[in-house]
């Protein structure tokens, strides 16, 4: 079991005001799944992704990642685990400005002190997302779709156990968005676990399973019988 949640809650406290965000969530995600976490603004989906991605801690309940209870890890252990086991793709790309495409992708390897063949590894993963011809370009010289492919390459360079994609097509035109979803589907077809956060039904249907949130509660959790094909918009049975 890759991810196991049991009665997980999250609340934020400011002075005497307590704001509950997630309520008693329980579910499992197996290695190799492609899961969409879907819900409207304010449903708690991004907070849930931050907890699953070890960016925040739950207020109560259990979260086990690869059998390890997350609550037992200190901040340094969380950071190390996050760097080695998790890749992130964000709507805003989060690339470093005035830095080349290749240098952006190399960066996680230096944070993990895994410098061996860093440049060659970064180049290889960029080539895998179709950006072998953009290695020496600065991030302000490439399109939005290319920036998101750089972000995917950066997420992949440490060979993580799971990729988290938070609204990865939100800043893209439809053609670029389709290309990004095609890459994510191919990563999953190759055995990679992908967890996608979105508020759009059409985007969510590229996954094989949708967990739908509303007001911090799970309102449905179901497999997709007809998976949408990113390449041409058709549905896969």
């Amino acid at each position: 079991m890759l991810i196991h949640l049991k009665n997980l809650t999250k609340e934020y406290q400011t002075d005497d005001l307590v704001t509950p965000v997630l309520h008693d969530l329980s579910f499992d995600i197996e290695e190799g799944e492609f899961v969409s976490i879907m819900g409207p603004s304010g449903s708690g989906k991004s907070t849930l992704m931050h907890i699953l991605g070890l960016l925040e801690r739950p207020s109560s309940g259990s979260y086990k990642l690869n059998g390890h209870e997350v609550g037992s890890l200190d901040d340094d252990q969380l950071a190390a685990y996050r760097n080695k086991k998790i890749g992130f793709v964000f709507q805003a790309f989060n690339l470093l400005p005035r830095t080349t495409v290749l240098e952006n992708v190399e960066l996680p390897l230096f944070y993990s002190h895994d410098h061996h063949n860093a440049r060659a590894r970064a180049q290889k993963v960029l080539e895998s997302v179709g950006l072998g011809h953009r290695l020496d370009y600065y991030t302000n010289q490439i399109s939005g779709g290319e920036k998101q492919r750089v972000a995917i390459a950066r997420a992949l360079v440490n060979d993580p156990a799971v990729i988290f994609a938070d609204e990865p097509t939100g800043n893209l035109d439809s053609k670029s968005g389709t290309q990004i979803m095609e890459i994510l589907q191919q990563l999953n077809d190759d055995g990679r676990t992908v967890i996608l956060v979105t508020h759009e039904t059409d985007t969510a249907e590229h996954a094989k399973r949708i967990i739908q949130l509303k007001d911090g509660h799970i309102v449905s959790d179901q497999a997709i019988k007809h998976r949408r094909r990113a390449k041409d918009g058709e549905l896969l049975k």
Side-chain angles (χ1 to χ4, degrees):
M1 187 69 60
L2 180 65
I3 289 173
H4 173 73
L5 265 63
K6 183 68 174 178
N7 305 126
L8 183 139
T9 68
K10 179 64 178 180
E11 60 187 27
Y12 296 101
Q13 184 166 354
T14 304
D15 297 327
D16 294 330
L17 178 64
V18 177
T19 304
V21 179
L22 300 175
H23 306 270
D24 199 35
L25 304 187
S26 298
F27 61 82
D28 296 329
I29 295 177
E30 300 279 359
E31 187 174 351
E33 282 199 79
F34 189 162
V35 179
S36 286
I37 298 173
M38 185 182 171
S41 178
S43 63
K45 61 185 184 297
S46 289
T47 299
L48 177 57
M49 191 206 76
H50 289 164
I51 291 172
L52 295 177
L54 308 182
L55 296 171
E56 295 189 44
R57 294 179 182 269
S59 299
S60 64
S62 174
Y63 171 26
K64 291 183 179 179
L65 180 61
N66 266 341
H68 298 284
E69 181 60 60
V70 169
S72 67
L73 302 176
D74 62 28
D75 289 346
D76 288 341
Q77 289 172 321
L78 284 175
Y81 207 91
R82 191 166 55 239
N83 185 264
K84 288 283 191 180
K85 301 294 184 181
I86 294 173
F88 293 100
V89 180
F90 294 103
Q91 178 177 348
F93 317 131
N94 291 1
L95 302 178
L96 293 177
R98 299 181 298 279
T99 305
T100 69
V101 164
L102 185 60
E103 288 167 342
N104 266 274
V105 176
E106 283 181 296
L107 194 61
L109 297 172
F110 290 99
Y111 280 135
S112 65
H113 306 293
D114 186 6
H115 303 172
H116 181 66
N117 289 333
R119 179 141 298 199
R121 291 159 63 189
Q123 181 174 339
K124 182 177 180 180
V125 75
L126 279 163
E127 290 170 350
S128 76
V129 297
L131 288 179
H133 62 302
R134 291 284 192 259
L135 302 181
D136 295 324
Y137 280 62
Y138 289 94
T139 55
N140 64 349
Q141 295 176 311
I142 59 177
S143 69
E146 288 174 330
K147 288 177 182 177
Q148 197 60 291
R149 282 189 274 163
V150 175
I152 291 173
R154 183 183 57 189
L156 289 170
V157 74
N158 266 329
D159 193 26
V162 56
I163 296 290
F164 288 97
D166 190 3
E167 302 282 8
T169 64
N171 283 341
L172 305 178
D173 58 60
S174 59
K175 180 180 179 180
S176 297
T178 297
Q179 292 172 343
I180 294 305
M181 293 311 303
E182 185 178 2
I183 290 171
L184 292 176
Q185 282 187 318
Q186 186 59 56
L187 290 172
N188 178 246
D189 291 343
D190 292 341
R192 188 87 57 176
T193 306
V194 178
I195 299 177
L196 170 72
V197 172
T198 184
H199 66 279
E200 298 177 343
T201 300
D202 285 351
T203 302
E205 288 177 348
H206 290 100
K208 298 175 181 176
R209 173 185 170 196
I210 296 177
I211 298 173
Q212 188 154 0
L213 298 182
K214 184 177 181 181
D215 299 329
H217 297 273
I218 295 176
V219 295
S220 67
D221 182 350
Q222 57 185 0
I224 301 298
K225 293 182 180 179
H226 302 286
R227 184 189 189 192
R228 190 172 294 278
R229 186 197 300 268
K231 191 170 185 178
D232 52 21
E234 295 180 355
L235 295 181
L236 288 175
K237 293 186 178 180

